[in-house]
Short mmCIF file of all heavy atoms in Angstrom, two decimals:
data_model
loop_
_atom_site.label_atom_id
_atom_site.label_comp_id
_atom_site.label_asym_id
_atom_site.label_seq_id
_atom_site.Cartn_x
_atom_site.Cartn_y
_atom_site.Cartn_z
N LEU N 192 2.43 16.36 27.12
CA LEU N 192 1.87 15.35 28.00
C LEU N 192 0.72 15.92 28.82
O LEU N 192 -0.33 15.28 28.96
CB LEU N 192 2.97 14.81 28.92
CG LEU N 192 2.58 13.61 29.77
CD1 LEU N 192 2.12 12.45 28.91
CD2 LEU N 192 3.76 13.18 30.64
N ASP N 193 0.90 17.16 29.31
CA ASP N 193 -0.16 17.80 30.09
C ASP N 193 -1.43 17.94 29.25
O ASP N 193 -2.54 17.67 29.72
CB ASP N 193 0.29 19.19 30.56
CG ASP N 193 1.30 19.08 31.70
OD1 ASP N 193 1.41 17.97 32.25
OD2 ASP N 193 1.97 20.08 32.00
N ARG N 194 -1.24 18.36 27.98
CA ARG N 194 -2.41 18.53 27.12
C ARG N 194 -3.11 17.20 26.85
O ARG N 194 -4.34 17.12 26.87
CB ARG N 194 -2.00 19.19 25.79
CG ARG N 194 -1.84 20.70 25.91
CD ARG N 194 -2.11 21.37 24.58
NE ARG N 194 -1.14 21.00 23.56
CZ ARG N 194 0.02 21.62 23.40
NH1 ARG N 194 0.34 22.64 24.18
NH2 ARG N 194 0.84 21.24 22.47
N ILE N 195 -2.29 16.17 26.63
CA ILE N 195 -2.89 14.85 26.36
C ILE N 195 -3.66 14.37 27.58
O ILE N 195 -4.79 13.90 27.48
CB ILE N 195 -1.79 13.83 25.97
CG1 ILE N 195 -1.23 14.18 24.61
CG2 ILE N 195 -2.35 12.42 25.96
CD1 ILE N 195 0.05 13.45 24.27
N LYS N 196 -3.04 14.55 28.76
CA LYS N 196 -3.70 14.11 29.99
C LYS N 196 -5.00 14.87 30.19
O LYS N 196 -6.01 14.30 30.59
CB LYS N 196 -2.79 14.33 31.20
CG LYS N 196 -1.76 13.23 31.38
CD LYS N 196 -0.92 13.52 32.59
CE LYS N 196 0.05 12.38 32.88
NZ LYS N 196 1.07 12.81 33.86
N LYS N 197 -4.97 16.17 29.89
CA LYS N 197 -6.16 16.99 30.05
C LYS N 197 -7.25 16.49 29.10
O LYS N 197 -8.42 16.38 29.48
CB LYS N 197 -5.84 18.46 29.75
CG LYS N 197 -7.01 19.37 30.06
CD LYS N 197 -6.67 20.83 29.87
CE LYS N 197 -7.88 21.72 30.11
NZ LYS N 197 -9.00 21.38 29.21
N ARG N 198 -6.84 16.16 27.85
CA ARG N 198 -7.83 15.68 26.89
C ARG N 198 -8.45 14.37 27.37
O ARG N 198 -9.65 14.17 27.29
CB ARG N 198 -7.18 15.49 25.52
CG ARG N 198 -8.19 15.09 24.45
CD ARG N 198 -7.58 14.97 23.07
NE ARG N 198 -6.84 16.16 22.69
CZ ARG N 198 -5.55 16.17 22.45
NH1 ARG N 198 -4.86 15.06 22.52
NH2 ARG N 198 -4.95 17.27 22.12
N GLN N 199 -7.56 13.50 27.90
CA GLN N 199 -8.09 12.22 28.39
C GLN N 199 -9.06 12.45 29.55
O GLN N 199 -10.10 11.81 29.63
CB GLN N 199 -6.93 11.31 28.82
CG GLN N 199 -6.19 10.73 27.62
CD GLN N 199 -4.96 9.94 28.02
OE1 GLN N 199 -4.44 10.11 29.13
NE2 GLN N 199 -4.48 9.09 27.13
N GLN N 200 -8.72 13.41 30.43
CA GLN N 200 -9.57 13.72 31.57
C GLN N 200 -10.91 14.29 31.07
O GLN N 200 -11.98 13.89 31.54
CB GLN N 200 -8.86 14.71 32.50
CG GLN N 200 -9.59 14.95 33.82
CD GLN N 200 -9.76 13.66 34.62
OE1 GLN N 200 -8.80 12.92 34.83
NE2 GLN N 200 -10.99 13.35 35.03
N ASP N 201 -10.82 15.21 30.09
CA ASP N 201 -12.03 15.80 29.52
C ASP N 201 -12.96 14.72 28.99
O ASP N 201 -14.17 14.76 29.18
CB ASP N 201 -11.68 16.76 28.37
CG ASP N 201 -11.16 18.08 28.90
OD1 ASP N 201 -11.21 18.27 30.14
OD2 ASP N 201 -10.69 18.91 28.10
N ARG N 202 -12.34 13.77 28.28
CA ARG N 202 -13.15 12.70 27.70
C ARG N 202 -13.84 11.88 28.78
O ARG N 202 -15.00 11.52 28.66
CB ARG N 202 -12.26 11.78 26.86
CG ARG N 202 -12.12 12.29 25.47
CD ARG N 202 -11.38 11.28 24.66
NE ARG N 202 -10.74 11.95 23.56
CZ ARG N 202 -9.77 11.41 22.84
NH1 ARG N 202 -9.34 10.21 23.12
NH2 ARG N 202 -9.25 12.07 21.84
N GLN N 203 -13.07 11.60 29.84
CA GLN N 203 -13.67 10.83 30.94
C GLN N 203 -14.81 11.60 31.57
O GLN N 203 -15.86 11.04 31.87
CB GLN N 203 -12.60 10.51 31.99
CG GLN N 203 -11.87 9.23 31.68
CD GLN N 203 -10.82 8.91 32.72
OE1 GLN N 203 -10.80 9.52 33.78
NE2 GLN N 203 -9.96 7.96 32.42
N ASP N 204 -14.59 12.91 31.76
CA ASP N 204 -15.64 13.75 32.35
C ASP N 204 -16.87 13.74 31.46
O ASP N 204 -18.00 13.63 31.95
CB ASP N 204 -15.13 15.19 32.53
CG ASP N 204 -14.05 15.26 33.60
OD1 ASP N 204 -13.88 14.25 34.32
OD2 ASP N 204 -13.39 16.30 33.71
N GLN N 205 -16.63 13.87 30.17
CA GLN N 205 -17.75 13.88 29.23
C GLN N 205 -18.54 12.58 29.31
O GLN N 205 -19.77 12.58 29.32
CB GLN N 205 -17.24 14.04 27.80
CG GLN N 205 -17.16 15.49 27.35
CD GLN N 205 -16.51 15.62 26.00
OE1 GLN N 205 -16.53 14.66 25.22
NE2 GLN N 205 -15.93 16.75 25.73
N MET N 206 -17.76 11.49 29.39
CA MET N 206 -18.44 10.20 29.45
C MET N 206 -19.25 10.08 30.74
O MET N 206 -20.38 9.60 30.74
CB MET N 206 -17.43 9.06 29.37
CG MET N 206 -17.24 8.59 27.94
SD MET N 206 -15.76 7.58 27.75
CE MET N 206 -16.16 6.21 28.78
N ALA N 207 -18.65 10.55 31.84
CA ALA N 207 -19.34 10.50 33.12
C ALA N 207 -20.60 11.36 33.06
O ALA N 207 -21.68 10.96 33.54
CB ALA N 207 -18.41 10.98 34.23
N ALA N 208 -20.48 12.54 32.43
CA ALA N 208 -21.61 13.45 32.34
C ALA N 208 -22.73 12.84 31.51
O ALA N 208 -23.91 12.93 31.88
CB ALA N 208 -21.17 14.78 31.73
N SER N 209 -22.34 12.24 30.40
CA SER N 209 -23.40 11.69 29.56
C SER N 209 -24.04 10.47 30.23
O SER N 209 -25.22 10.22 30.07
CB SER N 209 -22.89 11.35 28.16
OG SER N 209 -21.82 10.46 28.25
N GLN N 210 -23.26 9.77 31.02
CA GLN N 210 -23.82 8.64 31.78
C GLN N 210 -24.87 9.16 32.78
O GLN N 210 -25.94 8.60 32.93
CB GLN N 210 -22.69 7.90 32.52
CG GLN N 210 -23.15 6.68 33.30
CD GLN N 210 -23.65 5.58 32.38
OE1 GLN N 210 -23.08 5.33 31.32
NE2 GLN N 210 -24.75 4.95 32.76
N GLU N 211 -24.53 10.28 33.39
CA GLU N 211 -25.42 10.88 34.37
C GLU N 211 -26.73 11.30 33.70
O GLU N 211 -27.82 11.03 34.20
CB GLU N 211 -24.73 12.11 34.96
CG GLU N 211 -25.18 12.47 36.36
CD GLU N 211 -24.31 13.57 36.93
OE1 GLU N 211 -23.08 13.33 37.09
OE2 GLU N 211 -24.83 14.65 37.18
N LEU N 212 -26.57 11.93 32.52
CA LEU N 212 -27.75 12.35 31.76
C LEU N 212 -28.61 11.15 31.42
O LEU N 212 -29.83 11.19 31.54
CB LEU N 212 -27.31 13.04 30.46
CG LEU N 212 -27.00 14.52 30.57
CD1 LEU N 212 -26.51 15.04 29.22
CD2 LEU N 212 -28.23 15.30 31.02
N TYR N 213 -27.94 10.09 30.99
CA TYR N 213 -28.65 8.88 30.61
C TYR N 213 -29.44 8.34 31.80
O TYR N 213 -30.61 7.99 31.69
CB TYR N 213 -27.64 7.85 30.11
CG TYR N 213 -28.25 6.54 29.71
CD1 TYR N 213 -28.87 6.39 28.47
CD2 TYR N 213 -28.19 5.45 30.57
CE1 TYR N 213 -29.42 5.18 28.11
CE2 TYR N 213 -28.74 4.24 30.22
CZ TYR N 213 -29.35 4.10 28.98
OH TYR N 213 -29.89 2.91 28.63
N ASP N 214 -28.77 8.32 32.97
CA ASP N 214 -29.43 7.83 34.19
C ASP N 214 -30.66 8.68 34.49
O ASP N 214 -31.72 8.17 34.82
CB ASP N 214 -28.48 7.90 35.39
CG ASP N 214 -27.45 6.78 35.33
OD1 ASP N 214 -27.64 5.87 34.49
OD2 ASP N 214 -26.48 6.84 36.09
N GLN N 215 -30.47 9.98 34.34
CA GLN N 215 -31.57 10.90 34.63
C GLN N 215 -32.74 10.64 33.70
O GLN N 215 -33.89 10.60 34.10
CB GLN N 215 -31.11 12.34 34.48
CG GLN N 215 -30.30 12.82 35.66
CD GLN N 215 -29.75 14.22 35.46
OE1 GLN N 215 -30.08 14.86 34.46
NE2 GLN N 215 -28.95 14.67 36.38
N ASP N 216 -32.38 10.46 32.41
CA ASP N 216 -33.43 10.31 31.41
C ASP N 216 -34.19 9.00 31.56
O ASP N 216 -35.38 8.93 31.27
CB ASP N 216 -32.85 10.38 30.00
CG ASP N 216 -32.50 11.81 29.65
OD1 ASP N 216 -32.85 12.69 30.46
OD2 ASP N 216 -31.89 12.04 28.60
N THR N 217 -33.52 8.00 32.00
CA THR N 217 -34.16 6.68 31.98
C THR N 217 -34.47 6.16 33.37
O THR N 217 -35.32 5.31 33.53
CB THR N 217 -33.22 5.66 31.32
OG1 THR N 217 -32.01 5.64 32.07
CG2 THR N 217 -32.95 6.03 29.88
#
Side-chain angles (χ1 to χ4, degrees):
Chain N
L192 188 58
D193 286 346
R194 279 208 296 274
I195 290 167
K196 278 180 175 167
K197 187 175 177 302
R198 185 177 307 117
Q199 286 174 340
Q200 188 59 51
D201 283 353
R202 273 186 205 164
Q203 272 180 13
D204 291 349
Q205 269 174 24
M206 267 164 63
S209 57
Q210 182 66 40
E211 207 172 297
L212 275 177
Y213 178 80
D214 285 349
Q215 282 175 6
D216 285 353
T217 59

